[in-house]
Amino acid sequence: MSQLKVPKGTRDILGREIHLWRRIEETVYSVAQLFGYQEIRTPIFESTELFARGVGEGTDIVQKEMYTFLDKGGRSLTLRPEGTAPVMRAYLEQGFAVHEPRVKWFYLGPMFRYERPQAGRMRQFHQFGFEAIGFESPACDAEIILIAWTIYEELGLKRLSLEINSLGCNHCKPGYIEALKNFFRDRSEELCSNCKDRLERNPLRILDCKVETCQTVLRSTAFPNLQDFLCEDCKKHQAELLQTLTALGIPFVINPHLVRGLDYYTRTAFEVKTGELGAQDAVGGGGRYDNLSQALGGQRVPGVGFAAGMERIVLLLQKEETETSSERSGVYLAPLGKEGERYLLVLSRVLLQHGIPFYTDFADKTLKYHLKRAQKMGIRWVVILGEEEIQKSVFLLKDMISGEQISLSQEGLLKKLQEEISGAENTYLR
Ligand SMILES: [Zn+2]
Ligand SMILES: [Zn+2]
């Protein structure tokens, strides 16, 4: 029989890479806690209609990229392609609009899009995101940006930059869309086939197109600038946001071409980029979505948020990772024989009580094997237990760095390990 493989666009995450995932997740949790955002976990699949309405029928996500299936009851379900629509669905469904209209939430988990897999882009990918629902103030947009910025800084990403735009509101966005359509209709011959398709459906998406001929069209001096179409309220909102960002010391540039792929965005749209992946690469983005709740059948509820793809960030962190991070703290327990295994398992309960991480290898092998294995795992301290030690009621502790071996009682062993292995570096069992 042939060997089974993971589905295209998915992968196993394990080994040293896991530490980077944990680092990102822990950073997200701690920053969320500092800013007072609560975690929300929504289902992996939702009704297809949620995304058709909440992401937008005209988007590439809904048109081409969703994992949609019928369950045995004939319901159309979709693996979530993004996190904001489910969060807003939960907000409305749980009645927050009535009893607690202002919430600050974050989420973290896998998302699914049927796309061509490439470095940092998978069909099952992972995102974390922050959503502040119920707040109109541009200061809340600034807080969301500050959270993103704080997380990237905390992770050590360098050469960060912020691009920002406003997509307008129900009053001024339609005028811009009309101007865009007129502009593109005159030049539709120069657009790629995808964009010809987008022209009537979702002309804003053309601004995202990377095809060279479309880029040339976008660079035309006659290209309508979104900023020129903003109404007074939208201008004011943006001006206040930019003023706050300046006060926060977060540098930004206005990019009138920046749009978000999802239909429900209004006013603020932003992207954080880093210069580290060669070209300036987006590591996260977001914006305001004051139209989303109504698209889902609720009352009008303002909201602002951002999401970041974790695969990209892992790639960036892998680049700067040093060898030392593979070292494990704790102690390697090397039993020689069945009896040793049992005694060491009993010892491991004592180690647990003292918060000392350990790894026991039950391979029934020679001392030479165990020492090699401990070395490969980067563990400094090895406890050896053979027949002789059991008879004398002692443990042999070997320091893999100095090569020194000492014979210790259980009490002496615990004391020594507590001295040598500080709780702070117990990265291993967390
Ligand atoms: Zn407006
Ligand atoms: Zn195009």
Side-chain angles (χ1 to χ4, degrees):
M1 274 198 287
S2 64
Q3 184 77 44
L4 294 171
K5 293 189 170 131
V6 294
K8 190 176 176 184
T10 68
R11 55 192 286 267
D12 304 309
I13 302 169
L14 73 171
R16 289 179 56 181
E17 195 189 327
I18 276 291
H19 296 286
L20 298 176
W21 287 84
R22 288 284 275 270
R23 204 173 120 200
I24 298 169
E25 289 161 7
E26 277 158 21
T27 305
V28 169
Y29 284 125
S30 70
V31 171
Q33 201 186 9
L34 289 168
F35 279 87
Y37 281 63
Q38 305 279 318
E39 186 178 7
I40 174 169
R41 301 186 187 191
T42 63
I44 296 287
F45 56 82
E46 298 262 6
S47 69
T48 303
E49 201 188 345
L50 171 65
F51 301 110
R53 279 159 59 174
V55 177
E57 289 282 7
T59 58
D60 284 359
I61 294 178
V62 172
Q63 294 277 322
K64 306 176 196 162
E65 296 169 359
M66 296 208 303
Y67 277 92
T68 296
F69 59 96
L70 292 179
D71 74 0
K72 291 190 199 307
R75 304 169 191 89
S76 182
L77 300 173
T78 294
L79 300 184
R80 62 182 185 193
E82 60 96 48
T84 305
V87 164
M88 183 57 89
R89 195 261 315 127
Y91 173 92
L92 295 170
E93 187 176 349
Q94 312 281 339
F96 278 92
V98 181
H99 67 258
E100 195 187 340
R102 280 169 285 280
V103 297
K104 293 183 173 185
W105 286 341
F106 79 99
Y107 60 84
L108 198 154
M111 308 285 163
F112 306 85
R113 286 184 203 174
Y114 192 82
E115 287 187 283
R116 185 177 304 165
Q118 47 183 284
R121 180 173 297 170
M122 304 294 290
R123 288 179 176 175
Q124 174 174 331
F125 60 103
H126 300 76
Q127 282 190 338
F128 59 84
F130 285 69
E131 315 286 359
I133 302 178
F135 301 92
E136 299 271 8
S137 169
C140 199
D141 307 27
E143 179 175 89
I144 285 289
I145 291 170
L146 179 62
I147 290 172
W149 200 263
T150 305
I151 290 173
Y152 299 134
E153 274 189 343
E154 199 61 31
L155 288 169
L157 297 189
K158 300 195 183 74
R159 297 208 279 142
L160 291 172
S161 63
L162 170 66
E163 293 187 3
I164 205 155
N165 196 15
S166 174
L167 302 181
C169 65
N170 289 343
H171 303 296
C172 54
K173 199 175 178 180
Y176 179 69
I177 303 275
E178 218 26 65
L180 258 192
K181 281 185 180 167
N182 287 333
F183 171 81
F184 285 129
R185 275 190 202 116
D186 292 343
R187 293 164 180 79
S188 65
E189 285 315 303
E190 299 155 62
L191 296 176
C192 74
S193 60
N194 258 340
C195 287
K196 281 197 184 91
D197 211 36
R198 289 167 177 153
L199 175 48
E200 297 302 327
R201 214 166 18 93
N202 192 356
L204 274 177
R205 279 312 302 267
I206 301 178
L207 276 67
D208 274 340
C209 187
K210 300 282 178 283
V211 176
E212 190 45 46
T213 50
C214 296
Q215 283 288 318
T216 312
V217 174
L218 292 174
R219 280 194 295 267
S220 148
T221 49
F223 185 80
N225 187 331
L226 235 170
Q227 295 281 323
D228 298 337
F229 287 80
L230 297 179
C231 67
E232 284 310 311
D233 284 347
C234 288
K235 273 186 197 155
K236 189 163 166 266
H237 187 95
Q238 179 172 268
E240 281 176 28
L241 169 60
L242 300 185
Q243 217 180 347
T244 311
L245 290 174
T246 305
L248 288 169
I250 298 177
F252 59 85
V253 288
I254 291 178
N255 174 1
H257 285 189
L258 173 69
V259 293
R260 306 287 302 166
L262 317 182
D263 276 356
Y264 50 68
Y265 276 89
T266 54
R267 292 193 171 159
T268 310
F270 70 91
E271 250 173 28
V272 181
K273 296 186 173 184
T274 160
E276 288 192 70
L277 281 180
Q280 280 282 313
D281 238 310
V283 282
R288 187 161 270 284
Y289 45 82
D290 297 343
N291 286 338
L292 175 59
S293 64
Q294 284 167 307
L296 300 183
Q299 62 193 96
R300 182 186 177 278
V301 177
V304 57
F306 90 98
M310 292 170 69
E311 274 76 3
R312 285 272 179 94
I313 300 172
V314 168
L315 278 181
L316 288 167
L317 296 181
Q318 265 172 339
K319 277 191 169 177
E320 26 176 274
E321 210 201 0
T322 51
E323 281 302 311
T324 52
S325 58
S326 69
E327 248 174 53
R328 291 195 191 191
S329 74
V331 55
Y332 181 103
L333 305 181
L336 305 175
K338 287 283 156 219
E339 217 181 343
E341 287 182 358
R342 193 168 60 244
Y343 274 92
L344 285 181
L345 209 49
V346 173
L347 174 69
S348 67
R349 290 205 76 181
V350 183
L351 295 175
L352 273 175
Q353 283 160 8
H354 290 80
I356 298 169
F358 54 87
Y359 176 88
T360 318
D361 197 305
F362 301 108
D364 194 15
K365 298 267 190 180
T366 62
L367 180 59
K368 198 174 151 200
Y369 161 88
H370 285 300
L371 295 180
K372 250 191 173 161
R373 181 111 174 96
Q375 190 168 36
K376 205 175 163 206
M377 292 172 75
I379 301 179
R380 179 176 176 181
W381 301 99
V382 180
V383 172
I384 301 156
L385 196 65
E387 261 175 57
E388 203 187 316
E389 286 78 26
I390 292 170
Q391 267 170 21
K392 291 185 191 161
S393 294
V394 293
F395 298 90
L396 199 58
L397 180 67
K398 187 179 176 79
D399 180 348
M400 296 295 283
I401 292 178
S402 69
E404 211 181 320
Q405 285 185 178
I406 37 170
S407 190
L408 293 164
S409 68
Q410 179 169 307
E411 205 179 318
L413 177 71
L414 276 175
K415 195 160 171 274
K416 174 81 177 158
L417 289 178
Q418 277 179 311
E419 279 166 18
E420 296 292 346
I421 303 166
S422 79
E425 53 183 78
N426 292 350
T427 53
Y428 176 99
L429 255 194
R430 264 192 290 166

